[in-house]
Amino acid sequence: MRPWVRYRVRYLMVISMFMKKRMKISKGGQVSIPAPIRKRWGTTTVTLEDRGEELVLKPAPDDPVAAAAGAFAGEGPKVDWEAVAREEREAEAEAEERKWKSG
């Protein structure tokens, strides 16, 4: 093997080690995401996708209503997104309350 190939392979191995983290799953099914990664993505919410042979975690907006408001800015009728978010939070709280009362 040529010397430069050996160094390139070693370099690629080191790079892949930085991008991948080996994590333990707790007895309760939880995985901790290291603080530098959480800070880098600036979110406390992720989506989990099961692709059969792999699991994929992707950052998700903490407030999906606000994220959607930004995506559709300037299009269509004017919407009070704060009111929409407030209504969603109220509906979620009511559903949670019903769940605890019936259980």
Side-chain angles (χ1 to χ4, degrees), residues 1-101:
M1 185 182 297
R2 296 182 181 155
W4 63 271
V5 172
R6 187 173 334 132
Y7 292 120
R8 187 171 186 176
V9 169
R10 191 174 297 157
Y11 171 77
L12 291 173
M13 289 172 61
V14 169
I15 292 298
S16 73
M17 285 175 23
F18 284 124
M19 294 184 344
K20 293 181 181 179
K21 298 280 183 190
R22 186 178 170 103
M23 310 302 296
K24 289 277 190 181
I25 300 173
S26 73
K27 289 180 182 178
Q30 297 175 331
V31 176
S32 294
I33 299 173
I37 294 173
R38 291 192 314 266
K39 289 178 184 172
R40 176 177 166 221
W41 289 102
T43 185
T44 59
T45 308
V46 295
T47 60
L48 173 67
E49 182 181 351
D50 183 353
R51 293 187 179 173
E53 293 191 19
E54 65 183 0
L55 294 175
V56 177
L57 289 175
K58 292 183 181 180
D62 291 329
D63 185 357
V65 174
F72 297 111
E75 295 182 20
K78 196 74 169 162
V79 176
D80 182 2
W81 290 108
E82 290 179 14
V84 171
R86 186 173 43 254
E87 289 171 11
E88 272 303 308
R89 283 192 296 271
E90 289 170 2
E92 197 171 294
E94 288 172 9
E96 196 70 21
E97 191 175 313
R98 283 193 307 271
K99 181 172 79 173
W100 288 107
K101 283 183 180 179

